[in-house]
Every structure is written in C-alpha cells, then in structure tokens.
C-alpha cells in the first residue's frame, strides 16, 4: 500500500474512532493525566477532612500511586527522569501512609524513605510540596512564604510589587497559602502520619543565601506597609477579608477555585484556617467538584488537575474539518454548539491589565467561566470559523473572540497564556525555582506562534500590519542560537519551533528569511533515526534540547506540520516522517503515552490522552491537502 492510501486509511480510522467517542453534548472528554500529585493530595484531603464514605476512591488512588513507583522506591514526574523526583516521592510516600492501607514497614516504603533521605529530605522538596507538608504539620512554615505578609493583598496597583503581579494561576495557589501561613495553621488528625524524621536541614550556606535574599523583600514590605495609614491590626483584618473574598469570588459553579484541583486543595485548607467547619457548604462543594475530576476512562482511575474538555473539543473539531469532515456534519455542528456555549461572558483577572475590551475568550475546562486563555480561544475560533458565513450568532462570537485576542497582545509584540504584560521581574526577589515560568506569564513562542497562525490564516489583517511586524520582531529577539524556540506549555523546543514556523509562515515570512531557514535546519537536525521526533521533558528543566531515544506521535506530528508548512513539495525527510508517524500509531505502545504537555517546570508534566489523535490527524490532513494527494 502506498503512502497516500495508508494516510487515507489512517484518516478514515481516526475519524471513525473520534466520532464514536463524542459525548452527547458535542464535547470530547479525554483524560488529562499528570503526575501522582493530585491523587496524593486527594487522599490527604479526604483524611484531613475525616470523610468516611470515600474508601473505594481512596483504595483506587492508593493502587494507582503504588503502580507508579519505580523499583528504586522513587516516583517520577516523567518516565525518563533520572533516578526519580524528590517531591513526587514525598507526596507518594506520605499519602500512602495517610491512607491507612499501607504501612511504613513495607519494603517499597522503606525504599521510598531511603530515596527521600538520600536526596536531601523534606527540606529539599519543591515549594508546593513544602506547603502541603506545612499544612499537615510535617514541617514548620518555610521562610520563603512566612516572609510575605497577608497585607500584600492591600498594596495598591501603583506599588512595584502587588499580588496582581503574580499570574492568576499562581495567585490562585498563593492567596490560600498566605492565609494559612500568616495564621500559622496546620491540620493534624489522629490518623496523620509523622514523617518529620525525614526533615533534613539545609546547609548553613544555603540557609544564609535564602535569608539574605528574603531580607530585601522583607524590607520592601515593611516600607510599603508604612505608607498605608491604618493601624497594623486593622490592616491585617482587612487583608484577611480581602484574601477570603478574592477566593470566594473565583469559585466556579462546581465549587472549585479557578477550576483547578490543586488551587482548590489549598482553598479548602484556607477555609479551615479561617475557622470554617469541615462540613461548611463551601468546603463540601469544593470536595465534590474536585472529586468530579476523577477520570475513569483509563487503565486506572486518577484525579485530573483540570479536565481539558474545551481544549480537546476545539482542537478536534478544527482537525476533523481539516480532515474533510463537513462543518454541516451533525457531529461538527454539535461540537461547535458546545464551543459556542462555552465562550466566556464574565470579566476575569485578565481584565486587570486589559480593562477596555469585552469578554470573548474561551477557557480550558468545561466548568471554566472566567479564566480564558489565548490557546483555547484561537483553537475555538478556528473550529467555528466556517459557520460565521451563515450564522449571525457564530459571527458575533467570532468577532468578540478576535477582538479579545488582539487586545491581549503584549507590549513586547508576543502573546502570553492568560494575562497581558505579566513580566514584572522584581518578583524574582523571591528565591523561587523557575520563577520566570511559574510566577509570571511572559510572551512565549508557542502562544505567539499559534496566535499568528490563526490571525494570518483566518482573518483579513494585512500582512504588513504592526501587529504582525512586532510579533515577528519578538521571534527574532527570542530565537535560540541553534535556530529553535523554547515552548512553555509543551515539550519543548520541538513544540515552540513548530508553533513559530507555522505562525511566521502564516504572516508571509519567506523560507529565505534566516529566521525560518535556521529553524528548519534545526528541526531537521533533530529528526530521529526512525524518521520521527521525540524530546524529553528534561529539556524543560535544562533549558536545552534533550532527545528521547524514541519518537512520540505528537512531537513527530508537530515537526511534520512545520516542515509541510514550509515545503512546496514533500521532501524525503517529510516522507520518512510520515511513515514513522504511521508506524508509531499502529504500534500504539508506550511512545503514545509519553507526557508532551508541560505544567510546572521540573514538577508537573501532562499526558493528554487526546494528543495521539489531534496532532497526527492535523499533520496527515495538512500533508494530503497541501500536496493534492
């Protein structure tokens, strides 16, 4: 069978499979699978709240966590992580003990304990893990958080450092944590295990460095708070009220905060710290909402941090249309009706820095109503575009979405994920790992590239416009020396380079332009011997390209999509890549499960169960359509 026939067969198979998986409401509900963190935190939450009727769930999560442990006793956040991940191992170890179904004398638990000790103990864990440990009485509240007063909630917008200079997803975690740390609260039940013996001290030199760095921040806060005229007691009371109201105002209909499991976990502890009873409706509703994130459409049930329903549905709807499924097909109509119903009507935190535009974006999860992002919005807009010619409702929604996207362009010419101009590096005073990618929301190659792709291919904005010129200049400034770009929300340089090439080509940049020619040369240089592409999550940590020994479906499809965009004819490298992608999909082995989505650098990576469909479908369709095959 020749290449064209193989592609046609694969497209037919994938389309049939996807249409059969569509839900009645038009959405696709694929799993969003991260590390064991959410499973561990759910066990910890159930035990802290002393909920007695969730033993089936606890047992399921215990089995999943146990199954993910490596032979050396550690847990990893991506499969090829060297030895293991300290924070994940602490979370797995502590949650298994807290479940009551596992004892510390088990051989695999002894191995986990030894790994924790050998790698620095509790003191060396990442910040989110440290916050969980402080809340459950395992360690004292760390200086890194204790130094930040709750009164930061009251600092005005003109202040060099305010709570609004953290990006929204960081605020959603930090504000509940600040409530708990400022009240010095921890929560211990008769069942809480004690793992404080695993608390190893930081070296004196490291402690001195942290304290010195924190001193500058502490002096800043003291100086800033003196400018507020009220007494310290009144300021503190008002700050706690403002923090509590901030949280309550950002609770979604299902009871979760920001629609994130992890933020909701800390929100529950904040309510407990403020004196709410464990049976208070805010806590009960939050728990039920978090429980609803359980994904059972997998080999083992697990807790999702935030279901990817809108993201998957938007991308699949656009890809299916690209593959030849008519926008009039009942499945596409249902999907687009679903997407139309999920366009945001509320103002969210994005409006703080961008107040002069009406809502028009889309969010990531089904329940999300006020945290839109650039990626989901451009994906949804691409999906609904064909209907804008005949349906006024879609035309109006599309216009609002495009206006919102344009208004969110940063002053540096690029686009970030959630909020505009969120790159205040004064906050790097906080000695915080990966602060540039966790605390802030700077312009990135992946967001900027896909936004340019949408604007260039689906709107009538002139190619010579300032919008496109400033974005191209952003890419020129941020291209790596080897020709690649770093991608924030995927792994990693293949991801960023694909988005950059497809976006730049959509706004008319020639292959002769060095910005494109250097990128294509790099992309071809990292093609694997099997013809595909595969990149390790370690790239995200090391900030340089690190290959996998095998190719993955999504990364191979991204590379192919970029090469096809820049090639008038199918080159031999493209042909080899197409065959590699077909072979990977036919094998349907562990290569399809490698996490190619990024969350927290070094701490949280995502296996999107939808990605083995979305990106190959797009690449095959692009190949077939461009070359008239």
């Amino acid at each position: 069978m020749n290449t064209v026939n193989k592609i046609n067969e694969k497209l037919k198979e994938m389309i049939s499979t996807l249409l059969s998986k569509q839900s009645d409401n038009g959405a696709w509900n694929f799993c969003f699978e991260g590390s064991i963190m959410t499973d561990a935190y759910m066990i910890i939450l159930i035990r802290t709240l002393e909920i007695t009727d969730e033993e089936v769930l606890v047992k399921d999560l215990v089995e999943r966590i146990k199954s993910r442990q490596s032979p050396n006793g550690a847990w990893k956040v991506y499969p090829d992580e060297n030895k293991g991940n300290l924070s994940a191992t602490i979370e797995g170890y502590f949650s298994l003990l807290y479940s009551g179904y596992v004892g510390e004398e088990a051989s695999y638990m002894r191995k986990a304990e030894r790994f924790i000790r050998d790698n620095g103990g509790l003191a060396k864990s990442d910040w989110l893990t440290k916050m969980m440990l402080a809340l459950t009485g395992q360690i004292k509240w760390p200086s890194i958080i204790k130094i930040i007063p709750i009164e930061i909630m009251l600092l005005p917008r003109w202040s060099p450092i305010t709570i609004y200079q953290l990006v929204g997803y960081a605020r959603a975690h930090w504000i509940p944590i600040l409530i708990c740390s400022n009240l010095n609260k921890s929560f211990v039940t008769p069942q809480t295990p004690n793992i404080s013996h695993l608390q190893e001290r930081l070296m004196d030199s490291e402690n001195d460095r942290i304290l010195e760095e924190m001193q500058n921040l502490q002096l800043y806060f003291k100086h800033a708070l003196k400018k507020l005229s009220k007494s310290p007691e009144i300021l503190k009371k008002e700050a706690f009220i403002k923090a509590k109201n901030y949280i309550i105002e950002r609770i979604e209909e299902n009871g979760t905060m920001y629609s994130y499991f992890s933020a909701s976990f800390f929100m529950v502890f904040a309510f407990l710290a403020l004196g709410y009873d464990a049976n208070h409706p805010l806590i009960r509703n939050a728990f039920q909402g978090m429980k609803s994130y359980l994904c059972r459409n997998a080999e083992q049930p697990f807790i999702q941090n935030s279901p990817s329903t809108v993201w998957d549905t938007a991308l699949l709807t656009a890809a299916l249309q690209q593959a030849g499924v008519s926008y009039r097909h009942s499945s596409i109509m249902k999907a687009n009706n679903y997407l139309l119903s999920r366009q945001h009507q509320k103002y969210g935190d994005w409006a703080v820095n961008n107040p002069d535009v009406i809502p028009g974006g889309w969010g990531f999860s089904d329940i999300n109503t006020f945290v839109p992002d650039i990626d989901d919005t451009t994906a949804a807009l691409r999906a609904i575009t064909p209907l804008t010619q005949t349906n006024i409702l879609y035309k109006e929604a599309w216009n609002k979405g495009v206006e919102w996207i344009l208004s969110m362009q940063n002053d540096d010419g690029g686009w970030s994920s959630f909020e505009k101009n969120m790159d205040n590096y004064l906050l790097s005073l906080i000695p915080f790992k990966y602060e540039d990618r966790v605390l802030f929301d700077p312009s990135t190659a992946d967001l900027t590239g896909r936004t340019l792709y949408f604007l260039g291919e689906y709107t009538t904005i002139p190619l010579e416009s300032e919008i496109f010129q400033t974005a191209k200049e952003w890419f020129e400034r941020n291209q790596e020396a080897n020709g690649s770009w770093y991608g924030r929300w995927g792994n990693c340089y293949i991801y960023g380079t694909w988005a950059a090439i497809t976006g730049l080509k959509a706004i008319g940049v020639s292959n002769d332009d060095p910005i494109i020619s250097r990128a294509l040369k790099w992309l071809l240089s990292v093609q694997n011997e099997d013809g595909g592409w595969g990149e390790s999550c370690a790239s995200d940590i090391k900030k340089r390209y690190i290959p996998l020994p095998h190719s993955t479906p999504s990364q191979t499809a991204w590379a192919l999509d970029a090469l096809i965009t820049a090639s008038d004819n199918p080159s031999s490298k493209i042909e080899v890549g197409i065959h590699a992608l077909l072979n990977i999909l036919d094998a349907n082995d562990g290569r399809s499960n490698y996490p190619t989505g990024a969350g927290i650098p070094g701490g949280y990576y995502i296996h999107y169960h939808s990605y083995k469909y979305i990106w190959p479908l797009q690449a095959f369709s692009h190949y077939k359509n461009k070359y008239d095959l």
Side-chain angles (χ1 to χ4, degrees), residues 254-276:
N254 72 342
T256 63
M257 183 184 183
Y258 248 64
S259 75
Y260 300 154
F261 176 94
S262 52
S264 304
F265 174 85
F266 290 106
M267 175 186 75
V268 168
F269 279 94
F271 286 144
L272 293 174
L274 290 169
Y276 287 63

Side-chain angles (χ1 to χ4, degrees), residues 48-61:
T48 301
L49 296 176
E50 299 184 283
I51 298 171
T52 58
D53 58 352
E54 295 291 351
E55 292 311 298
V56 172
L57 175 57
V58 171
K59 288 178 182 177
D60 284 344
L61 297 179

Side-chain angles (χ1 to χ4, degrees), residues 90-105:
I90 291 168
E91 290 163 351
Y93 178 81
F94 182 63
S95 63
L96 288 180
L97 286 179
Y98 211 166
S99 74
Y101 292 109
V102 176
E104 62 182 13
E105 70 284 350

Side-chain angles (χ1 to χ4, degrees), residues 186-223:
S186 60
F187 300 90
V188 178
T189 73
Q191 285 73 43
T192 305
N194 184 353
I195 63 169
S196 59
H197 60 286
L198 298 177
Q199 167 77 337
E200 301 291 334
R201 290 186 61 189
L202 293 176
M203 291 176 60
D204 288 341
S205 59
E206 191 170 354
N207 260 325
D208 291 344
R209 177 186 61 78
I210 291 174
L211 290 172
E212 185 178 345
E213 291 176 357
M214 297 301 289
Q215 228 174 17
N216 294 330
L217 192 64
Q218 189 175 32
L219 288 172
Y220 167 77
F221 283 127
K222 285 182 178 178
H223 179 71

